Amino acid sequence: MTEITLKVPNGIMKTIGSLVESGWYVDENELFLLALRNYLKTHSEELMTRFVKEDIEWGLLGRD
């Protein structure tokens, strides 16, 4: 597993803390992983399309 450092606005962390304290999540890590998984799941087609277009543009035009 890879560890990352993430800067989160205070208001969002307050909400996350409340959800953890209320028992909705075991800890902050669980919430962040679930949120990331859900984002990737719901945006995977959009993300793949964008990456393919960027790769095609780079291949055709040689731009970074």
Side-chain angles (χ1 to χ4, degrees):
M1 190 171 287
T2 301
E3 185 174 317
I4 63 169
T5 301
L6 179 66
K7 291 184 179 183
V8 180
N10 293 332
I12 292 175
M13 280 309 298
K14 185 175 180 180
T15 301
I16 289 170
S18 295
L19 291 169
V20 170
E21 286 179 31
S22 298
W24 285 98
Y25 300 93
V26 173
D27 57 22
E28 291 87 356
N29 287 331
E30 180 187 27
L31 188 145
F32 282 115
L33 286 173
L34 180 61
L36 184 56
R37 281 188 191 113
N38 286 338
Y39 180 85
L40 293 173
K41 182 179 178 181
T42 59
H43 291 80
S44 62
E45 185 175 333
E46 173 188 336
L47 292 169
M48 294 310 286
T49 299
R50 189 178 86 205
F51 294 149
V52 168
K53 285 181 181 179
E54 289 173 0
D55 285 349
I56 291 170
E57 183 177 322
W58 178 84
L60 291 175
L61 304 175
R63 295 182 184 161
D64 284 330

